Amino acid sequence: MSTGPGTGSDTAGNVKVMSTEPLTAERILEATEEVLRRHGPAKATVVDVARQLGVSHGSVYRHFRTKSALREAVTKRWLDRTTRELSSIADDEPKDAEASLRAWLAGLFEAKRRKAGDDPQLFATYEVLLAENSEVVEEHITELVAQIEQIVHWGVERGQFTALGPDAQVARAVFDATSRFHDPAYAPQWLKPEILVEFEAVVDLVLGGLRLLDRS
Amino acid sequence: MSTGPGTGSDTAGNVKVMSTEPLTAERILEATEEVLRRHGPAKATVVDVARQLGVSHGSVYRHFRTKSALREAVTKRWLDRTTRELSSIADDEPKDAEASLRAWLAGLFEAKRRKAGDDPQLFATYEVLLAENSEVVEEHITELVAQIEQIVHWGVERGQFTALGPDAQVARAVFDATSRFHDPAYAPQWLKPEILVEFEAVVDLVLGGLRLLDRS
DNA sequence: CAGATGACAGATTTCAATATCTGTCATCTG
DNA sequence: CAGATGACAGATATTGAAATCTGTCATCTG
């Protein structure tokens, strides 16, 4: 298992090489992710994380006040990766708000579906983390809804969308109506082949509701 | 454990009086519900159910092959009560399909919200049962979607709704888009006061998508 | 003889003793 | 002296022996 330049072997099983790099929060988060991947959410301990980094567990507590704060930070980091990925679609001012919203919703579904499908075990681990960090999840949802709101706003501005209500409320409705395609609780169903048809059907319905009526 | 007619009190705590009624599946289901209410899903045993009825547990097994079949039957019974309650809205041919669908969706939300709010502990018990009987849940969903399909069909027939696709598929999309307001996974959020506004927003969006465009 | 019973074997759950982990802090080290 | 360490107390998790439960079936009873 030993991989360090000079480090032969260690007493206990899987100890990673001691790095000369300074111990940063970021390095601890990476190590934690690795430990979670290997041991799962129930058996991943702070001691494991410290071992993984070749330091004492006291050092980890210098960067994160509690185990739960550490897990919260890992969760936030994971969710933020998705938020950032999608912001590229939401931030460019679109020519076609409807196409843009469609692309954004498809992007969200695609991102979640990939995470769930590629490594189901790691996904299950994150499901546990999400359940114990509802605060962080709520913030994540707030950010996603804000991105939808951006697109809705443009759509209303250029007369593509009806203003059914305040932009924020409409954005939230769009998010809620597509829950089945981004909420991890439904992940098992994302494997069914019909899911894509079902996704299209819901998106058609929702975009139909958004579209300005008096055009036809 | 003597329980003849005339037995006043018994050795162990909560034994129900022995009834002279014949032991039917229905009576066993009622007793099981009572035991689940009292002991919760984890500690409710077949022996408890038998005790509740004043019979031996062997007699319960004459009506239900396994404990899991018994729990499944209780679950189905619980879900069927909601299905039946809603069918009155779905079965009458409506003058106004939109108003009818709105009433049906509100009825479903209302029914679920009442169940969750009135006795949270019993609701939590049923959440466990639902999780272990996904087959039964799927059938329940199929029935509900069929009711929506009925309303959608009328709406299309009398030119109130656009045919966005096959009725069944559209009905399913309506059901999916309103998941947040009937899926027990979201029950904790049904307590928030904003939930009604959010419900209205989603229903407006969905009904807007259903509405025939070239009227305005 | 249809329907109920309770003893029984194997599966599952409970419980208490034991081991491990979390979070702190006095001490150490470069 | 900034940052790391590991011994320690209380909290949490693991483990295995004992208790309970599930499902069967030979036997009983009205």
Side-chain angles (χ1 to χ4, degrees):
Chain A
M1 194 115 304
S2 63
T3 36
T7 307
S9 62
D10 251 289
T11 34
N14 24 13
V15 181
K16 201 164 192 181
V17 82
M18 171 179 275
S19 162
T20 94
E21 312 247 321
L23 187 61
T24 62
E26 179 61 23
R27 283 189 60 225
I28 293 175
L29 291 176
E30 265 162 32
T32 305
E33 225 175 32
E34 176 61 21
V35 168
L36 280 165
R37 190 190 314 275
R38 285 221 297 258
H39 298 335
K43 292 200 212 152
T45 71
V46 175
V47 171
D48 290 330
V49 173
R51 211 190 338 261
Q52 166 81 14
L53 289 161
V55 300
S56 76
H57 75 282
S59 300
V60 172
Y61 278 99
R62 177 163 299 280
H63 294 264
F64 295 93
R65 267 212 317 286
T66 63
K67 179 190 190 185
S68 125
L70 174 56
R71 287 164 79 108
E72 183 179 309
V74 169
T75 307
K76 183 162 166 38
R77 192 161 167 270
W78 187 72
L79 291 175
D80 283 350
R81 285 204 282 268
T82 300
T83 309
R84 210 170 315 118
E85 200 180 314
L86 287 168
S87 67
S88 61
I89 303 180
D91 287 350
D92 306 339
E93 173 143 11
K95 293 156 206 210
D96 183 349
E98 182 169 331
S100 186
L101 184 50
R102 204 177 270 274
W104 190 92
L105 290 170
L108 178 58
F109 184 31
E110 171 61 18
K112 297 271 176 164
R113 211 156 62 104
R114 204 177 42 230
K115 274 187 182 169
D118 286 357
D119 187 342
Q121 211 187 341
L122 182 61
F123 190 76
T125 291
Y126 274 107
E127 278 190 78
V128 173
L129 293 183
L130 295 175
E132 65 189 33
N133 292 286
S134 50
E135 197 97 342
V136 171
V137 171
E138 258 176 58
E139 280 165 34
H140 174 63
I141 290 177
T142 301
E143 285 166 19
L144 290 181
V145 171
Q147 293 193 10
I148 299 180
E149 187 180 344
Q150 180 70 274
I151 301 176
V152 167
H153 182 70
W154 276 320
V156 171
E157 206 168 55
R158 46 176 69 217
Q160 255 189 302
F161 292 158
T162 5
L164 282 162
D167 288 353
Q169 193 184 94
V170 173
R172 179 73 208 202
V174 170
F175 185 80
D176 287 346
T178 50
S179 292
R180 208 167 107 83
F181 308 101
H182 58 245
D183 191 322
Y186 295 100
Q189 297 181 26
W190 297 343
L191 299 168
K192 293 191 314 178
E194 319 92 270
I195 196 73
L196 284 175
V197 176
E198 293 175 1
F199 174 70
E200 292 299 331
V202 169
V203 171
D204 286 349
L205 191 62
V206 165
L207 290 181
L210 233 35
R211 201 153 30 218
L212 207 56
L213 293 180
D214 46 23
R215 291 188 311 141
S216 91
Chain B
M1 202 71 9
S2 65
T3 37
T7 306
S9 63
D10 251 288
T11 34
N14 24 15
V15 179
K16 202 164 189 178
V17 84
M18 173 179 265
S19 161
T20 94
E21 312 249 317
L23 187 59
T24 61
E26 180 60 22
R27 282 190 61 225
I28 293 175
L29 290 177
E30 265 162 34
T32 306
E33 228 176 29
E34 176 60 21
V35 168
L36 281 166
R37 192 190 312 275
R38 284 222 296 259
H39 298 336
K43 293 201 216 153
T45 72
V46 176
V47 171
D48 289 330
V49 173
R51 209 190 338 260
Q52 167 79 16
L53 289 162
V55 301
S56 76
H57 73 284
S59 300
V60 173
Y61 279 99
R62 177 163 299 281
H63 294 264
F64 295 94
R65 266 212 317 288
T66 63
K67 178 189 189 184
S68 126
L70 174 56
R71 287 165 78 107
E72 183 178 310
V74 171
T75 308
K76 184 164 166 34
R77 193 159 166 272
W78 188 71
L79 292 175
D80 282 351
R81 285 204 283 267
T82 300
T83 309
R84 209 168 318 117
E85 198 179 316
L86 287 168
S87 67
S88 61
I89 303 179
D91 287 349
D92 305 339
E93 173 141 11
K95 294 155 205 211
D96 183 349
E98 184 169 329
S100 184
L101 184 49
R102 204 177 269 275
W104 191 92
L105 290 171
L108 178 57
F109 184 31
E110 172 59 19
K112 295 271 175 162
R113 212 154 63 103
R114 203 177 42 231
K115 275 186 182 171
D118 286 358
D119 188 342
Q121 212 185 343
L122 183 61
F123 190 76
T125 291
Y126 274 107
E127 277 190 78
V128 172
L129 293 183
L130 295 175
E132 66 189 34
N133 291 286
S134 50
E135 198 98 341
V136 172
V137 172
E138 258 176 59
E139 280 164 34
H140 174 62
I141 290 176
T142 300
E143 285 165 19
L144 290 181
V145 171
Q147 294 192 9
I148 299 179
E149 186 180 345
Q150 180 70 276
I151 302 175
V152 166
H153 182 71
W154 276 320
V156 171
E157 206 168 56
R158 46 176 69 218
Q160 255 188 301
F161 291 158
T162 5
L164 282 162
D167 288 353
Q169 193 185 303
V170 172
R172 178 74 208 201
V174 170
F175 185 79
D176 288 346
T178 49
S179 292
R180 207 166 107 83
F181 308 100
H182 57 245
D183 191 323
Y186 295 100
Q189 298 180 26
W190 297 342
L191 299 169
K192 294 191 312 177
E194 317 92 272
I195 197 71
L196 285 174
V197 176
E198 293 175 1
F199 174 71
E200 291 301 329
V202 168
V203 170
D204 287 349
L205 192 62
V206 165
L207 290 182
L210 233 36
R211 198 149 38 212
L212 207 56
L213 292 181
D214 46 22
R215 291 188 310 139
S216 90

